[in-house]
Amino acid sequence: MTTIPPRTRISRRTARAGIAALLALAGCAGLLIWWNTDVMGQGRFCDDALASSELSLVLDGPGRLTGKSVHEESDPYGFSCTVQRTSRFLGAAEPEMKAELAFEQADFAFGSLLWKDPSASSYFVGGATGAASGTQAWVLLPPGCDGRTPPGVQRAKVPALEVNLTHGRAAPDDLARAAMSAARHVAEGLGCADSSVLKAPLRLQGPSGSGEPRPTDPANACGVSGFSLPDAALLGGRAEPGTERVTGSDSRTRVCELTLKGPGGPRITLAVSEDPRLTQGVRRDETATPQNARTVTACAAGDLYVAMSYDDTYRDLLLDAGGTAHEQARTALFTAFFDTVTKDRGCRTH
């Protein structure tokens, strides 16, 4: 009978223990890869509307892409999808993106509390009608989709694909790309896809210069030659010319945000657009009138959208001034802007 030397038995036990340890490490490594990367992960999300490669750019960082919720159920009107990057590491950011179909006023992004600071967005140049920032994006669906509004939705509302990102930021180009993919998916579901309208933008046009606010030229506010803030819109020591941020002129839609000198930094937003998709949508809205500081007027080169809105801080300052200060400021400011931007365009006056 051959006896295995003790040293040999110890070596074999050591080898087995080493193999077990390696297998355990490999298993842990596999779990870490599975939990915190997209290796062998889902290829498409949101009922196949979005590829994981698009979402990986929007939801950057460690973790795994997870579809939190999808509410479509074969109803194209109910498109709503949420995707999150989840991580097993404590303290890791878990960015989340929600894409959904909404029925809005065509110019919803310029005066809604949800769509804050439109002057910080980058607007599509060429292709579809839309815009994107580091946390939001929107695309108006083709005109053929307008007649497919669900029961109970006002005729003036137009379908828009909206994307909102929380707990993180993304490059506007990446967010715009995801919004475009989802918009095409929804339009196909509604039976109104139009490749000539839902073309990818050639590029995005963001705020001029560095994107930081610049001092307002009182005689050429918002970079519009000859546009001055009327006296009725200013309050000594409480609302005076301060700074402005203006989106570039290459896009069909341009937005200027004026931050006045005064308590709370009152803000005024001014917008113009020659984008047919936007102007056509606003024309259907009976509430879009000069009296409401948002209108579309016919010009020699086509329709022109002109609008003004302001924040609660500026409104409260005007209301505190008493009398007719609020209505006078509103009327004077919109009229001055409208008259300046329509000058020399051959536009019909309101």
Side-chain angles (χ1 to χ4, degrees):
M1 178 174 174
T2 303
T3 303
I4 300 174
R7 182 174 298 178
T8 302
R9 291 199 295 269
I10 294 173
S11 297
R12 288 179 178 178
R13 286 199 298 270
T14 302
R16 286 196 293 268
I19 291 172
L22 288 173
L23 290 173
L25 287 173
C28 290
L31 285 175
L32 287 174
I33 291 173
W34 178 262
W35 286 336
N36 293 286
T37 73
D38 292 316
V39 173
M40 301 295 289
Q42 190 172 334
R44 299 194 69 85
F45 293 81
C46 302
D47 194 32
D48 291 337
L50 293 164
S52 59
S53 57
E54 294 174 308
L55 289 166
S56 293
L57 295 173
V58 172
L59 301 172
D60 194 17
R64 196 166 187 81
L65 291 175
T66 304
K68 288 187 62 179
S69 62
V70 177
H71 303 291
E72 186 162 6
E73 300 176 356
S74 301
D75 176 12
Y77 297 117
F79 178 81
S80 178
C81 172
T82 302
V83 181
Q84 185 178 37
R85 186 174 287 284
T86 59
S87 176
R88 294 301 180 96
F89 290 125
L90 294 177
E94 295 192 337
E96 177 179 290
M97 190 198 81
K98 183 176 183 179
E100 62 182 337
L101 170 65
F103 291 85
E104 308 266 18
Q105 293 174 324
D107 57 343
F108 71 96
F110 307 128
S112 167
L113 293 177
L114 175 63
W115 298 86
K116 299 178 180 179
D117 200 0
S119 69
S121 291
S122 297
Y123 291 82
F124 293 4
V125 177
T129 300
S133 67
T135 56
Q136 295 179 311
W138 57 270
V139 179
L140 295 185
L141 269 59
C145 300
D146 292 350
R148 290 163 169 77
T149 53
V153 175
Q154 297 177 10
R155 177 184 174 277
K157 298 295 180 69
V158 301
L161 192 287
E162 303 178 1
V163 172
N164 281 279
L165 180 64
T166 56
H167 308 302
R169 293 185 65 84
D173 284 343
D174 294 333
L175 212 55
R177 191 175 298 108
M180 284 296 302
S181 292
R184 293 190 186 102
H185 171 85
V186 171
E188 289 173 1
L190 290 172
C192 53
D194 187 335
S195 58
S196 66
V197 175
L198 286 179
K199 286 183 179 178
L202 299 175
R203 61 186 181 84
L204 271 60
Q205 173 67 69
S208 300
S210 63
E212 294 299 317
R214 65 191 185 196
T216 296
D217 180 349
N220 303 285
C222 293
V224 178
S225 179
F227 173 50
S228 299
L229 298 179
D231 292 340
L234 301 174
L235 299 170
R238 290 177 294 168
E240 297 180 337
T243 61
E244 65 187 37
R245 177 162 51 198
V246 186
T247 59
S249 59
D250 290 345
S251 174
R252 294 169 295 187
T253 299
R254 297 170 297 283
V255 181
C256 170
E257 183 175 79
L258 294 160
T259 301
L260 304 179
K261 290 180 181 178
R267 296 186 177 189
I268 300 169
T269 301
L270 301 163
V272 296
S273 180
E274 296 101 359
D275 191 309
R277 181 69 188 104
L278 194 150
T279 58
Q280 290 167 12
V282 174
R283 273 204 177 278
R284 298 168 53 200
D285 187 351
E286 294 180 356
T287 68
T289 65
Q291 292 71 32
N292 289 329
R294 44 189 289 267
T295 190
V296 173
T297 187
C299 302
D303 282 351
L304 180 70
Y305 165 80
V306 186
M308 176 201 71
S309 61
Y310 41 77
D311 67 0
D312 291 344
T313 301
Y314 183 59
R315 182 203 60 192
D316 291 345
L317 286 173
L318 294 172
L319 291 175
D320 290 344
T324 61
H326 179 252
E327 286 304 317
Q328 286 183 341
R330 180 185 178 89
T331 301
L333 184 56
F334 180 75
T335 300
F337 183 61
F338 180 92
D339 289 346
T340 305
V341 297
T342 57
K343 184 181 180 181
D344 301 328
R345 289 175 182 252
C347 301
R348 184 178 62 206
T349 57
H350 54 268

